[in-house]
Amino acid sequence: MKIDLTDTTAGKINKALVRGRREIGTPAVGMVLTLVIVTDEEHAYDAIKAAGDASREHPSRTLVVIKRHARSPRDRHDTRLDAEVRVGSDAGAGETVLLRLHGELADRADSVVLPLLLPDAPVVVWWPVDAPPVPAADPLGALAQRRITDAYAVEDPLRELAARAEGYQPGDTDLAWTRLTPWRSMLAAALDQARAEVLSAVVESEADNPSAELLARWFSERLRVPVEQVVTAGPVVTAVRLRTADGEIHIDRPEGPVARLAIPGQPNRVLALKVRSTAELIAEELRRLDPDEAYAAALHAEIVPPPPGAELAEGP
């Protein structure tokens, strides 16, 4: 069910939500959190679809903030709020409200969002693109327990990571880090089985990949070893090699959803390691609302480069 509201207010939107729930026969509010998506028209569809898929695991009220900045001086005085309310099957397992802010109202989005937040429920803000330099200092970010950005969606991902590190506050996270969860889990399990001291590491990925950069920093912070970064054709991270005294631990995923794991003294294994969708990444982030200390440590870590001429990829 969809309800269009033109030149409206937050109070009228709340009434439309109540009316919509009654008409589809679900008057009770069963959402567990409020997800605020701050985006533009170009990226709104993909973000709404991802949030809708994630809501099947985390029923939520999704508020999509689309700022429509005026181009002419006359239009800047046309301060208006248009909304589209979606409930039922049109909103996944929750409620979705598209908020189009015109004129000067675009600079005061928090005043529109605040009355629409679910009472006594956590708030998560997600910027699919064009996140503010310091998310926690943004008026919308200040309302949230968790703030999600995506360094992969910008023109210069490594510069974006530097900005994230400089402005980091507890509750910040980035989907570039979330993409590494399967890699980190498999590598931790492999090290538990190998029980050998890691001497150096190699991360192979496409150029300027923020996930590969964070993985290399994670190795430097946790293992305290030199890390080499090798550029490949991708996609994303394609291989990780850990050199130990007993040989090389190697996870290789050149393409597709399958990876191969090699541990010294054990037969090679085939593992499922696909590139996950945005909906899966958002669903993972919504499972935890406490500060991600591992991300913070990796974000602020410095990569220790290998000595000149060292062959880190080779075993003893």
Side-chain angles (χ1 to χ4, degrees):
M1 178 180 180
K2 297 182 181 180
I3 303 173
D4 289 322
L5 301 171
T6 303
D7 197 7
T8 188
T9 63
K12 293 178 181 178
I13 294 172
N14 270 318
K15 291 179 181 179
L17 285 168
V18 174
R19 184 172 74 250
R21 288 198 302 269
R22 287 175 177 171
E23 290 186 9
I24 64 173
T26 56
V29 178
M31 277 70 73
V32 298
L33 59 88
T34 302
L35 174 62
V36 181
I37 303 174
V38 187
T39 186
D40 52 23
E41 292 285 2
E42 179 182 356
H43 299 90
Y45 175 83
D46 290 339
I48 293 169
K49 186 178 186 305
D53 293 341
S55 72
R56 303 186 189 284
E57 181 178 342
H58 309 278
S60 58
R61 173 175 291 178
T62 301
L63 306 177
V64 185
V65 178
I66 303 174
K67 299 180 181 180
R68 304 291 296 271
H69 292 284
R71 297 186 178 182
S72 66
R74 183 185 62 183
D75 292 338
R76 293 192 191 104
H77 297 288
D78 182 21
T79 300
R80 190 176 80 250
L81 171 63
D82 297 334
E84 180 182 322
V85 176
R86 302 178 182 179
V87 294
S89 59
D90 291 313
E95 302 171 340
T96 300
V97 181
L98 278 69
L99 303 168
R100 291 184 170 88
L101 284 63
H102 299 258
E104 296 178 355
L105 190 61
D107 297 324
R108 298 195 296 272
D110 55 313
S111 65
V112 176
V113 168
L114 186 59
L116 299 175
L117 300 178
L118 291 172
D120 302 321
V123 178
V124 178
V125 178
W126 170 33
W127 292 269
V129 293
D130 299 329
V134 183
D138 182 83
L140 287 174
L143 300 174
Q145 284 75 38
R146 288 299 296 271
R147 297 166 292 274
I148 305 173
T149 56
D150 191 357
Y152 195 75
V154 303
E155 186 175 350
D156 191 340
L158 301 188
R159 181 182 296 178
E160 185 78 0
L161 286 183
R164 294 285 155 259
E166 185 176 351
Y168 174 82
Q169 292 293 328
D172 292 354
T173 193
D174 196 282
L175 295 185
W177 176 251
T178 316
R179 293 182 179 93
L180 292 173
T181 299
W183 284 92
R184 294 189 296 119
S185 299
M186 290 182 183
L187 288 165
L191 287 174
D192 285 342
Q193 296 177 47
R195 296 190 177 277
E197 180 184 359
V198 177
L199 305 177
S200 59
V202 178
V203 178
E204 301 181 7
S205 73
E206 61 189 3
D208 297 327
N209 182 269
S211 295
E213 177 73 14
L214 286 172
L215 185 58
R217 295 185 189 186
W218 184 62
F219 285 145
S220 290
E221 194 274 332
R222 297 300 298 269
L223 302 177
R224 306 294 182 182
V225 297
V227 182
E228 180 183 3
Q229 294 177 270
V230 177
V231 175
T232 65
V236 200
V237 180
T238 56
V240 171
R241 289 175 279 169
L242 302 178
R243 177 172 167 256
T244 74
D246 298 331
E248 185 179 273
I249 300 172
H250 188 191
I251 297 181
D252 183 23
R253 186 194 61 185
E255 59 183 15
V258 175
R260 289 173 175 79
L261 169 64
I263 300 177
Q266 299 185 23
N268 293 348
R269 306 172 195 175
V270 177
L271 308 171
L273 191 59
K274 68 174 184 177
V275 177
R276 296 186 295 166
S277 67
T278 303
E280 292 173 298
L281 301 176
I282 292 298
E284 177 184 328
E285 284 300 329
L286 295 182
R287 291 183 199 124
R288 55 174 301 173
L289 299 177
D290 57 317
D292 191 337
E293 296 178 355
Y295 165 69
L299 186 64
H300 292 99
E302 294 185 4
I303 298 174
V304 179
E311 295 291 339
L312 298 186
E314 296 183 359

